[in-house]
Coordinates of all heavy atoms in Angstrom, one line a residue:
G113 N -4.6 22.8 19.0 CA -5.1 22.7 17.6 C -4.2 23.5 16.6 O -4.6 23.7 15.5
S114 N -3.0 24.0 17.1 CA -2.1 24.7 16.2 C -0.7 24.4 16.6 O -0.4 23.7 17.6 CB -2.4 26.2 16.3 OG -1.8 26.8 17.4
H115 N 0.3 25.1 15.9 CA 1.7 25.0 16.2 C 2.1 25.7 17.5 O 3.2 25.5 18.0 CB 2.5 25.5 15.1 CG 2.3 27.0 14.8 ND1 1.2 27.6 14.4 CD2 3.2 28.0 15.1 CE1 1.3 28.9 14.3 NE2 2.5 29.2 14.7
K116 N 1.2 26.6 18.0 CA 1.6 27.5 19.1 C 2.1 26.9 20.4 O 3.0 27.4 21.1 CB 0.5 28.6 19.3 CG 0.4 29.5 18.1 CD -0.2 30.8 18.5 CE -0.1 31.8 17.3 NZ -1.0 31.5 16.2
Q143 N -5.8 31.6 19.3 CA -4.9 30.4 19.3 C -3.8 30.5 20.3 O -3.4 29.6 21.0 CB -4.4 30.1 17.9 CG -5.4 29.4 17.0 CD -5.6 30.2 15.8 OE1 -5.4 31.4 15.8 NE2 -5.9 29.5 14.7
W144 N -3.2 31.7 20.3 CA -2.1 31.9 21.2 C -2.5 31.8 22.7 O -1.9 31.2 23.5 CB -1.3 33.2 20.9 CG -0.3 33.5 22.0 CD1 -0.2 34.5 22.8 CD2 0.8 32.6 22.4 NE1 0.9 34.4 23.7 CE2 1.5 33.3 23.4 CE3 1.3 31.4 21.9 CZ2 2.7 32.7 24.0 CZ3 2.4 30.8 22.5 CH2 3.1 31.5 23.6
G232 N 3.5 35.1 21.3 CA 3.3 33.9 20.5 C 3.9 33.8 19.2 O 3.8 32.8 18.4
S233 N 4.6 34.9 18.8 CA 5.2 35.0 17.5 C 6.3 36.1 17.5 O 6.6 36.6 18.5 CB 4.1 35.3 16.4 OG 4.7 35.2 15.1
V234 N 6.8 36.4 16.3 CA 7.7 37.6 16.0 C 9.1 37.5 16.6 O 10.1 37.8 15.9 CB 7.0 38.9 16.5 CG1 7.9 40.1 16.2 CG2 5.7 39.1 15.7
L239 N 10.5 31.9 17.3 CA 10.8 31.2 16.1 C 11.7 30.0 16.3 O 11.6 28.9 15.7 CB 11.4 32.2 15.1 CG 10.5 33.1 14.3 CD1 9.5 33.9 15.1 CD2 11.2 34.0 13.3
C266 N 2.0 30.0 5.8 CA 1.3 31.2 6.0 C 2.1 32.1 6.9 O 2.9 31.6 7.7 CB -0.1 31.0 6.5 SG -0.2 30.3 8.2
C267 N 1.9 33.4 6.8 CA 2.8 34.3 7.6 C 1.9 35.4 8.3 O 1.4 36.3 7.6 CB 3.9 34.9 6.7 SG 5.1 35.8 7.7
G268 N 1.8 35.3 9.6 CA 1.1 36.3 10.4 C 2.2 37.1 11.1 O 2.4 38.3 10.8
G269 N 2.9 36.5 12.0 CA 4.1 37.1 12.6 C 5.4 36.4 12.1 O 6.5 36.9 12.3
G270 N 5.2 35.2 11.5 CA 6.3 34.5 10.9 C 6.8 33.3 11.7 O 7.7 32.6 11.2
S271 N 6.1 32.9 12.8 CA 6.7 31.8 13.6 C 6.5 30.4 13.0 O 7.4 29.6 13.0 CB 6.1 31.8 15.0 OG 4.8 31.4 15.1
N272 N 5.3 30.1 12.4 CA 5.2 28.8 11.8 C 6.0 28.6 10.5 O 6.6 27.6 10.2 CB 3.7 28.4 11.7 CG 3.1 28.7 10.3 OD1 3.2 28.0 9.4 ND2 2.5 29.9 10.3
L273 N 6.1 29.8 9.8 CA 6.9 29.7 8.6 C 8.3 29.5 8.9 O 9.0 28.7 8.3 CB 6.7 31.1 7.8 CG 7.6 31.2 6.6 CD1 7.2 30.3 5.5 CD2 7.7 32.7 6.1
L341 N -4.0 36.3 10.6 CA -2.8 36.9 10.0 C -2.8 38.4 10.0 O -2.5 39.0 9.0 CB -2.4 36.3 8.6 CG -2.5 34.8 8.5 CD1 -2.3 34.4 7.0 CD2 -1.4 34.1 9.3
D346 N 6.2 41.8 11.0 CA 6.6 40.4 10.9 C 7.9 40.2 11.7 O 8.6 41.2 12.0 CB 6.9 40.0 9.5 CG 5.6 39.5 8.7 OD1 4.8 38.8 9.4 OD2 5.4 39.9 7.6
A385 N -7.3 25.6 9.5 CA -7.4 27.0 10.1 C -7.4 27.9 8.9 O -6.6 27.7 7.9 CB -6.3 27.3 11.1
E387 N -5.9 30.7 8.6 CA -4.5 31.1 8.4 C -3.8 30.1 7.6 O -3.2 30.5 6.6 CB -3.8 31.2 9.8 CG -4.3 32.3 10.7 CD -5.5 31.9 11.6 OE1 -6.1 30.8 11.3 OE2 -5.8 32.6 12.5
S388 N -3.9 28.8 7.9 CA -3.2 27.8 7.2 C -3.7 27.7 5.7 O -2.9 27.4 4.8 CB -3.4 26.4 7.8 OG -3.4 26.5 9.2
L415 N 0.7 22.8 7.6 CA -0.7 23.0 8.0 C -0.6 23.4 9.5 O -0.6 22.6 10.4 CB -1.5 21.7 7.9 CG -3.0 21.8 8.2 CD1 -3.7 22.6 7.2 CD2 -3.6 20.4 8.2
S416 N -0.6 24.8 9.7 CA -0.3 25.3 11.0 C -1.4 25.0 12.1 O -1.1 25.1 13.3 CB 0.0 26.8 11.0 OG -1.0 27.5 10.3
G417 N -2.6 24.7 11.6 CA -3.6 24.4 12.6 C -4.9 23.9 11.9 O -5.1 24.1 10.7
H418 N -5.8 23.3 12.7 CA -7.1 23.0 12.2 C -8.1 24.1 12.4 O -7.8 25.1 13.2 CB -7.6 21.7 12.8 CG -8.0 21.8 14.3 ND1 -9.1 22.5 14.7 CD2 -7.5 21.2 15.4 CE1 -9.2 22.4 16.0 NE2 -8.2 21.6 16.4
Ligands
PLP510 C1 -1.1 32.2 15.1 C2 -1.3 31.3 13.9 C3 -0.7 31.7 12.7 C4 0.1 32.9 12.5 O1 1.2 33.1 13.2 P1 2.7 32.9 12.7 O2 3.5 33.4 13.8 O3 2.8 33.6 11.4 O4 2.8 31.4 12.5 C5 -0.9 30.8 11.6 N1 -1.6 29.7 11.7 C6 -2.2 29.3 12.9 C7 -3.0 28.1 12.9 C8 -2.1 30.1 14.0 O5 -2.6 29.8 15.2

Side-chain angles (χ1 to χ4, degrees):
S114 78
H115 65 292
K116 291 203 171 72
Q143 282 124 332
W144 172 241
S233 187
V234 178
L239 276 56
C266 65
C267 190
S271 72
N272 90 87
L273 174 72
L341 310 174
D346 273 320
E387 291 87 349
S388 319
L415 184 66
S416 51
H418 71 64

